[in-house]
Amino acid sequence: MKRLIFWLIIPALALLGCNRDDDFGKNEIKPVPYTVSLRYDASKYPDVADKGVANVTVTMENAATGDKITGKTDANGDLKLEAVLPGNYSIKAELQLKKSEYEQEIGEETSYEIVHFGGFQEKAIVNSKISSTILSISSGNFGDLVIKQYYYAGSNSKTGANIRDQFIEIHNNSDQAIYADGLYLVFLEGNTNNNVTNYTLSNGQYDWSKTAGGGSSANTDYVYANIFIKIPGNGDQYPILPGKSIVIAQTALNHKAPYNDINGTAISIQNPDETIDLSHADFEAYLGAYNISIGKKPFAWDIQNIMVPDMLISYWSIASNDLVLNVTSMLGLGILRATDAEVASWKKVVTPKSPVTGTLFLQIPKEYIIDGVDITDDEQKAPKDFPSDIDATRTFVVNEKGLAAGNFTGLSVIRKTKENINGRIVLQDTNNSANDFVTIKANPRGYAK
């Protein structure tokens, strides 16, 4: 298939990553041919890894201009474009296979009526010397629990609750009760900028193979955690009913009301409408006792609600003495299940940036991840934390105009509602957070309209 979707003439100085001699004439930009070839992820689908994937929707976005090219791969798995403006691009791939198509194509059975595949590549260079790329796609790990809401932005730092009202919400997308007991929340460690150095990959993310070993699999088959916390329970203590969710609060208080911190200092709220009531959360990340046990001073705002069960601290390797969802680092968030023995067997490694004296982070095999969401900002200053088969893209809070809303806005990302089946809410899950999430005013147990 040869098809030019569209291209725009723009000033030469606005383009990045181009070879001036090869791609620019005296007063014009010379578009070049470019091919995107789609393959199945070899680590997950080795039997069909060499096979080109047809009918994949591919979107290329110019990093400098925001202009997009969209098309579908042909029978050989190729999207062949005759004229693409030189520059740096992000490339997104999406594919849906019906149950019968999946079983015929992949050669294995599935209970899902629709299986979603996704792939993502950042910093793909297009110029007269680089005319193609190969992109792998994969489906996410199948599971009936999904991350519903990730409220990391916090509310107004002066008139609201600042970071104290942050929370995560997990939803049961199935038609059967699922017990939350033993479910882990994992927050990922990654590079906070996308500058390419001798300790990073080409997208700016850490090259973990330099400290974890294992070659390229260190970057493709694992994720790396700085926070790893667990829901308590004996196995059948905390059911999540079909179509319902649980809320894990940083601090399970009514943040609309004033209170005293652990030092007796009065904390006032000037505008209760800017924050939320988390006093009825299902769990809270109270770290006071944990900090005391390791000789650290508890966080002044970390007040325990004795009516709300505490999360269990399984691994904690960041300096923060509370579950502060870092509004600068944009931590990727995942949920998983594993036995105590499995967790104990996982390695702890330093980042390649600080290989000698650096902090240790937990290396987690990605097949344990049930669901994951990558967070970024509008400029995508930091690279993705999750492999694309966990989350094909990224999401972030936006304002009414669709522009990045920033932090301390009281806004949250929330998964879209797919359908209502006799009162049971089913949320959208296509393994692509840019498609699956929208922005709302933070609303625990609420839904996107």
Side-chain angles (χ1 to χ4, degrees), residues 57-377:
T57 299
V58 178
T59 302
M60 297 180 61
E61 181 173 352
N62 188 297
T65 68
D67 294 330
K68 295 180 180 180
I69 302 169
T70 301
K72 284 195 173 185
T73 56
D74 60 22
N76 297 317
D78 297 328
L79 172 63
K80 296 181 179 180
L81 302 170
E82 293 180 345
V84 179
L85 293 180
N88 281 354
Y89 287 79
S90 64
I91 305 176
K92 179 176 67 174
E94 300 173 276
L95 174 68
Q96 295 183 23
L97 293 181
K98 296 179 181 178
K99 176 181 170 67
S100 59
E101 294 172 332
Y102 176 89
E103 293 177 348
Q104 181 177 359
E105 183 84 357
I106 303 300
E108 61 183 40
E109 294 184 354
T110 179
S111 60
Y112 287 79
E113 293 302 319
I114 299 290
V115 179
H116 298 272
F117 287 79
F120 190 70
Q121 181 178 340
E122 293 179 303
K123 293 188 174 182
I125 298 174
V126 176
N127 60 36
S128 60
K129 294 182 179 180
I130 302 176
S131 60
S132 65
T133 189
I134 298 175
L135 183 60
S136 296
I137 62 170
S138 182
S139 63
N141 292 338
F142 298 138
D144 292 319
L145 293 179
V146 295
I147 297 167
K148 174 187 174 183
Q149 196 168 176
Y150 190 4
Y151 177 45
Y152 64 90
S155 56
N156 192 284
S157 58
K158 295 181 180 180
T159 57
N162 202 311
I163 58 171
R164 299 187 300 273
D165 59 357
Q166 295 172 324
F167 71 89
I168 292 112
E169 189 171 2
I170 310 299
H171 183 83
N172 180 359
N173 235 16
S174 77
D175 60 358
Q176 302 290 324
I178 298 176
Y179 289 95
D181 307 48
L183 186 72
Y184 285 95
L185 267 63
V186 54
F187 298 85
L188 299 193
E189 177 68 17
N191 199 4
T192 57
N193 63 71
N194 55 21
N195 298 328
V196 178
T197 71
N198 61 353
Y199 56 79
T200 72
L201 302 170
S202 60
N203 68 346
Q205 186 54 274
Y206 291 142
D207 181 357
W208 290 97
S209 68
K210 294 182 179 297
T211 50
S216 62
S217 65
N219 300 305
T220 60
D221 297 354
Y222 299 89
V223 296
Y224 298 83
N226 52 43
I227 296 175
F228 195 54
I229 56 179
K230 182 181 180 181
I231 293 176
N234 56 22
D236 58 3
Q237 195 170 349
Y238 299 111
I240 311 175
L241 298 179
K244 301 298 181 181
S245 62
I246 56 171
V247 173
I248 299 105
Q250 181 198 117
T251 305
L253 298 179
N254 180 6
H255 295 280
K256 293 176 175 288
Y259 72 101
N260 293 335
D261 68 16
I262 64 172
N263 301 314
T265 302
I267 305 296
S268 62
I269 298 295
Q270 296 182 35
N271 188 351
D273 290 339
E274 291 185 341
T275 182
I276 53 179
D277 181 358
L278 288 175
S279 61
H280 300 290
D282 298 279
F283 305 95
E284 71 172 350
Y286 172 70
L287 269 76
Y290 172 78
N291 282 314
I292 292 173
S293 73
I294 61 173
K296 291 182 67 174
K297 184 178 180 180
F299 192 45
W301 291 344
D302 194 10
I303 304 295
Q304 185 179 31
N305 182 341
I306 61 173
M307 301 302 294
V308 176
D310 296 335
M311 297 290 288
L312 305 177
I313 310 303
S314 297
Y315 193 72
W316 195 276
S317 63
I318 60 174
S320 172
N321 53 359
D322 198 7
L323 182 62
V324 177
L325 306 179
N326 195 306
V327 296
T328 301
S329 298
M330 306 291 184
L331 303 177
L333 165 67
I335 55 176
L336 65 88
R337 290 191 187 276
T339 66
D340 291 344
E342 287 169 333
V343 173
S345 71
W346 295 342
K347 293 169 58 176
K348 299 177 180 67
V349 300
V350 295
T351 70
K353 183 179 181 179
S354 305
V356 179
T357 60
T359 300
L360 292 172
F361 299 99
L362 188 63
Q363 184 190 53
I364 301 173
K366 72 177 182 181
E367 64 261 26
Y368 286 86
I369 304 292
I370 298 170
D371 189 33
V373 176
D374 253 324
I375 299 295
T376 184
D377 57 16

